[in-house]
Amino acid sequence: LVCCEYQIKSTLFIFTLYFIAIFLVSFILQYYLPNFPISSRWPYILAFLYVFTIIAFVILLKFIESRISMFANAFMLVNFGKLILFTAIILIYAWFNRSEAISFTITFFVYYLILTTYEIIALLRIQKMT
């Protein structure tokens, strides 16, 4: 991955800018549209998913130069692990905070989709370069 080191650093930098943009949009939505169905825990959800997406990205980078089947297996295992962990978090939160269960779940899911989309696009772009 030495050949792609600049691309990886650039991707992580852009991902951080992407995170900041999502944070600002969420803040504006919460501030100017207080009835918008966003969880009051959105900063924690967003930060948590940002960190986990970076961890998954770094793990998958280790497999990106290997055979496509090995990378695909790693990709599926990492995403299955995230799915199990995230489902557990949503269920536990919903159990203890029933009044905010729906907004928490929707906020979590929307952030997950947005960040995972970027992760997949970045991985595909880096894989093409290797």
Side-chain angles (χ1 to χ4, degrees):
L1 286 176
V2 175
C3 66
C4 303
E5 189 173 323
Y6 172 76
Q7 179 69 23
I8 292 167
K9 287 180 181 178
S10 172
T11 299
L12 290 173
F13 177 74
I14 293 169
F15 184 64
T16 301
L17 294 177
Y18 191 61
F19 163 79
I20 293 168
I22 296 166
F23 187 93
L24 292 174
V25 167
S26 298
F27 180 78
I28 290 168
L29 283 173
Q30 184 184 32
Y31 185 74
Y32 288 107
L33 300 171
N35 294 330
F36 193 79
I38 189 169
S39 173
S40 63
R41 307 279 187 233
W42 71 264
Y44 305 110
I45 298 169
L46 186 57
F48 174 79
L49 289 174
Y50 171 75
V51 169
F52 259 85
T53 304
I54 288 179
I55 291 169
F57 181 78
V58 170
I59 290 170
L60 291 171
L61 282 176
K62 295 178 183 194
F63 294 94
I64 208 156
E65 288 185 333
S66 60
R67 292 186 328 251
I68 190 71
S69 62
M70 195 171 191
F71 174 74
N73 287 338
F75 182 80
M76 286 188 277
L77 282 172
V78 165
N79 282 299
F80 180 72
K82 283 179 13 180
L83 177 68
I84 296 298
L85 174 67
F86 296 166
T87 301
I89 289 169
I90 289 170
L91 290 174
I92 291 168
Y93 187 87
W95 179 263
F96 289 108
N97 299 291
R98 293 173 193 242
S99 64
E100 199 180 287
I102 293 173
S103 67
F104 181 86
T105 303
I106 291 170
T107 303
F108 198 103
F109 182 69
V110 168
Y111 288 156
Y112 170 78
L113 282 178
I114 292 169
L115 297 176
T116 300
T117 300
Y118 182 85
E119 175 193 14
I120 292 169
I121 291 169
L123 285 167
L124 289 173
R125 199 174 295 142
I126 291 171
Q127 188 179 35
K128 285 182 184 178
M129 297 182 80
T130 58

